[in-house]
Amino acid sequence: DGRVDVWEADGRREPRPLKALAPSGGRGVQCACALGDGTAGVCVGGSAGLLRVYDTASGRLRLELAGGDACVWGVDATRKLLASASDDRAVRLWDLRSQRAVARLAGHRAPALSAAWVGNGEVLASGDADGTIVCWDVRRLAVDGTIDGDGAAVHALHWREPLLFAAAASGVVRAYDVRLSYRALVDDEVCALGGEAWALASVDHGGRAGRGELFCAGESDGLRRLALPSLVEMAPLGGHEGGTAALAA
């Protein structure tokens, strides 16, 4: 329905809803990510190739990026760059300061559905409808390696040191340690949703290194929560009617 819910999740108490935004004018939101520049900003993408950046505190539209007519299925951001994955099989890099596209990465043989920056931002991972994850060397703008999944579309990717999590249409969320190898599968079922898995995000609770929560969402089961780094399942949160398509934290 185009609505974006903003939750507070600080680890000291159960997450609670803060507000709801309606950034897409009633059109569906397919993806979302928090900005990596330390501001209270979130980018959402969807139909018509549009990317919108909102201030979550005020709800104000900060900027809008247009990347053609292809639907944007996945986004992720560093401090300076935004990556978007589209159903025209392209992955685009955007400079947030100039608000312009600076590169178009071509290498997927199926629609690109997800994107995640890995490590220090020199590697970008993107997933597609064939279940393939492509890892890009951003400095060379070239493919650095690939990960073959189970053939199910990779709807979401999320980097949480030291693991790359992948959510698939099969409902399974997997974990990879791409520092070792682009084929280093750590856990072939971090969790399994009742329907397709559509979105991933995590929050840091501070204190002991790695302590936080991983959120998994899809067409059913509400928002599944796993403690980090143990990956022990916690009590779920209620989801949107009709499923949850995107998460950002």
Side-chain angles (χ1 to χ4, degrees):
D1 61 2
R3 191 187 76 199
V4 175
D5 286 339
V6 181
W7 296 72
E8 180 183 54
D10 60 7
R12 295 189 296 270
R13 53 181 173 258
E14 286 296 295
R16 62 188 182 94
L18 294 179
K19 66 178 65 177
L21 308 175
S24 60
R27 291 175 292 180
V29 173
Q30 303 296 343
C31 54
C33 75
L35 298 189
D37 58 2
T39 64
V42 61
C43 176
V44 297
S47 59
L50 290 176
L51 294 165
R52 294 181 174 91
V53 175
Y54 282 81
D55 184 287
T56 55
S58 66
R60 181 177 57 87
L61 176 66
R62 288 169 50 180
L63 63 93
E64 186 173 272
L65 306 172
D69 297 328
C71 181
V72 179
W73 294 101
V75 288
D76 197 21
T78 65
R79 293 177 61 185
K80 298 180 180 179
L81 292 176
L82 178 74
S84 64
S86 305
D87 63 5
D88 60 359
R89 300 183 293 181
V91 177
R92 292 175 175 84
L93 303 182
W94 304 82
D95 185 307
L96 289 171
R97 292 180 180 177
S98 67
Q99 303 179 21
R100 303 181 69 176
V102 294
R104 183 181 186 277
L105 306 178
H108 285 285
R109 292 175 293 180
L113 304 179
S114 52
W117 294 97
V118 174
N120 59 8
E122 294 182 355
V123 173
L124 174 69
S126 56
D128 66 25
D130 282 346
T132 301
I133 299 171
V134 177
C135 295
W136 307 86
D137 183 324
V138 177
R139 291 175 299 179
R140 297 188 296 115
L141 300 179
V143 175
D144 198 42
T146 60
I147 302 171
D148 296 325
D150 61 0
V154 181
H155 286 308
L157 292 168
H158 180 69
W159 169 256
R160 171 78 184 204
E161 183 76 34
L163 300 176
L164 177 67
F165 294 94
S170 59
V172 173
V173 177
R174 294 180 172 86
Y176 300 88
D177 189 341
V178 295
R179 302 171 307 167
L180 303 175
S181 163
Y182 285 131
R183 299 181 185 276
L185 180 65
V186 175
D187 192 330
D188 65 356
E189 191 174 299
V190 172
C191 73
L193 278 65
E196 293 190 8
W198 289 342
L200 298 167
S202 66
V203 294
D204 186 3
H205 290 166
R208 185 165 54 88
R211 182 174 175 269
E213 295 178 37
L214 176 70
F215 296 88
C216 311
E219 62 179 337
S220 62
D221 292 350
L223 297 181
R224 299 277 288 275
R225 301 164 60 207
L226 294 92
L228 293 170
S230 66
L231 295 178
V232 173
E233 189 139 8
M234 305 167 68
L237 302 177
H240 297 264
E241 292 184 10
T244 303
L247 294 170

